[in-house]
Amino acid sequence: MQDITLILEGGALRSLYTSGVLDVLMKYNVEANTVMGVSAGALTGMNYISKQPKRTAKINIENCDNPRYIGLKALRKERGLIGYNYLFNEISKDKYPFDFETFKNSNQKFISVVTNCEDGKTEYVEKSDCRGDMEKMFKVVQASSSMPLCSKMVQIGNNHYLDGAVSMPIPVDYAMKKGCKNIIVVLTRDRNYKKPEVSKRMKALYKHIYGKYPKLIEKLCTMPERYNKIKEEINNLEKEGKIIVIAPDKPVTVSRLEKDKEKLKELYKIGTEDMEKNINKILNL
C-alpha cells in the first residue's frame, strides 16, 4: 500500500473517465491508502477497493440503455431515474458479481461524501463506520450518488441524504486539513470547465421540490459558485506542485445519463491513456 490519497469527482456516466484512470492504477498495482469518492466517484471507488478492473466500465457501457438501470422502469419501481436496487442486488450479486470479501477486508480507507438534506452540511462516511455491514455501505454510496431531481432522498438513521457534490464536489481542502499526502485528484471535466449559474427557473423548481429543506435549497442554488472556486483552488495547488491532477485535456461531451455507448467507450479510453502518461510520476511518489 502506498501513502497516496485519491479524490474522485462525480459526474454520473462521466465517471467512465475515472474508471479508465483507476483501471490503470490497478494494472500497475498502485494501492492508495485513502480513497475519497463523491457521487459516481464513490461508486467507481468501490470497484477500485474491491480490485475489480473494468467492472465499472462494463456495467455502465453495457447497461446505459437498460431502462431498469437508467430510465423509466427504474423511475416506476424506485422513484428515481437510477435503479439502485437493481444495481446493488441483481447486478452486483448475479450479473457482475461484486467482490464483497475483498472490499470488506481491504485495509484501504474508503470515504464516501454525502450531503445531509436537513442541515445542508457535508458528511464524510468511512467504510469502517459501517462495521462490515454491506447493506449500510451500499446505502451510503447510493446517497452519495443520488442526484437532485433525478433520485429520491436516501434515509440513513433519522436523516435524509443526497449527492455529496451538492455540498462538497471535490474534497481536496478536507484531505489537506486531515494531513493527507500525495493527493491525486481525478476530475471528470477539463481543468477550465466552469459551472453556469443556476437559472431562476431551476431555483424555483428546487424550492418547489425541496421546500421542507431550506438548507439543502441554499446549497443547490450556490453549487456553481462553490464548484468554480474549488476548481480554481485545485488549479493553483497543481501549479504549486502540492497535488497531482488527472483530468481530460478537452471539454467532455458525455452527458450524465449518456446513452451513446461509443462515446462512453471513448471516454474510458481517454482515462486509461491519461493515466498511462502519468503513471511513472505516481509510481515514484
Side-chain angles (χ1 to χ4, degrees):
M1 194 181 302
Q2 290 175 249
D3 190 7
I4 290 173
T5 295
L6 285 174
I7 298 177
L8 311 177
E9 185 183 15
L13 292 187
R14 286 192 292 271
S15 65
L16 263 292
Y17 179 84
T18 306
S19 175
V21 169
L22 296 183
D23 285 356
V24 172
L25 291 179
M26 284 188 271
K27 172 184 171 182
Y28 288 93
N29 298 312
V30 176
E31 191 176 87
N33 62 0
T34 303
V35 179
M36 296 185 189
V38 183
S39 196
L43 285 166
T44 309
M46 287 189 78
N47 295 319
Y48 173 71
I49 299 290
S50 67
K51 296 178 173 57
Q52 291 180 273
K54 296 188 178 180
R55 184 173 183 270
T56 296
K58 284 181 179 178
I59 290 174
N60 287 307
I61 292 170
E62 294 176 15
N63 291 277
C64 66
D65 56 356
N66 179 348
R68 291 187 65 190
Y69 183 51
I70 303 172
L72 294 178
K73 284 188 178 180
L75 182 63
R76 284 197 294 267
K77 296 191 76 171
E78 304 189 32
R79 293 192 297 119
L81 287 174
I82 310 294
Y84 287 106
N85 289 335
Y86 179 60
L87 171 63
F88 292 137
N89 287 289
E90 191 170 327
I91 284 181
S92 292
K93 294 175 182 177
D94 300 317
K95 292 190 174 183
Y96 310 84
F98 180 71
D99 192 335
F100 293 90
E101 290 306 309
T102 296
F103 180 85
K104 285 195 293 185
N105 295 328
S106 173
N107 291 321
Q108 292 170 282
K109 183 182 289 187
F110 178 64
I111 301 169
S112 299
V113 181
V114 297
T115 298
N116 185 311
C117 297
E118 274 76 19
D119 60 20
K121 294 181 179 179
T122 308
E123 294 184 17
Y124 302 87
V125 185
E126 296 192 24
K127 180 174 70 124
S128 58
D129 296 333
C130 298
R131 302 180 184 278
D133 183 346
M134 285 304 300
E135 291 299 322
K136 183 177 181 181
M137 188 75 253
F138 278 157
K139 214 168 189 182
V140 170
V141 173
Q142 177 183 345
S144 180
S145 55
S146 289
M147 295 181 291
L149 304 181
C150 294
S151 305
K152 65 179 181 179
M153 292 180 178
V154 178
Q155 184 171 354
I156 303 174
N158 295 322
N159 294 313
H160 297 83
Y161 296 89
L162 277 176
D163 198 324
V166 172
S167 57
M168 178 47 65
I170 313 167
V172 65
D173 188 54
Y174 175 82
M176 295 186 78
K177 286 180 178 177
K178 286 290 182 179
C180 295
K181 299 177 181 178
N182 299 320
I183 297 172
I184 302 171
V185 178
V186 182
L187 303 176
T188 54
R189 294 280 201 180
D190 65 277
R191 289 169 175 79
N192 297 321
Y193 172 77
K194 291 185 178 181
K195 281 189 181 294
E197 289 184 11
V198 178
S199 67
K200 290 182 179 180
R201 185 178 179 183
M202 187 59 70
K203 287 180 179 179
L205 183 59
Y206 286 148
K207 289 177 182 178
H208 175 70
I209 299 296
Y210 301 118
K212 295 180 180 178
Y213 302 90
K215 296 294 185 181
L216 174 66
I217 294 170
E218 181 183 341
K219 286 294 171 69
L220 285 167
C221 292
T222 58
M223 277 181 68
E225 178 185 343
R226 289 179 290 105
Y227 178 86
N228 295 338
K229 183 178 179 181
I230 290 170
K231 281 289 291 290
E232 186 177 347
E233 291 173 357
I234 287 172
N235 289 340
N236 289 335
L237 289 169
E238 182 184 25
K239 289 174 183 175
E240 294 167 6
K242 294 180 179 178
I243 63 173
I244 294 172
V245 177
I246 309 296
D249 290 330
K250 299 177 181 178
V252 176
T253 60
V254 168
S255 67
R256 291 186 301 174
L257 302 179
E258 183 64 60
K259 300 294 185 185
D260 188 328
K261 295 186 179 185
E262 293 307 313
K263 288 178 72 173
L264 293 175
K265 289 177 184 177
E266 179 62 22
L267 186 58
Y268 172 78
K269 180 183 176 184
I270 292 170
T272 61
E273 291 173 346
D274 285 354
M275 191 67 254
E276 287 282 3
K277 293 175 187 174
N278 288 276
I279 193 63
N280 287 331
K281 188 190 302 183
I282 308 303
L283 293 173
N284 290 323
L285 288 174

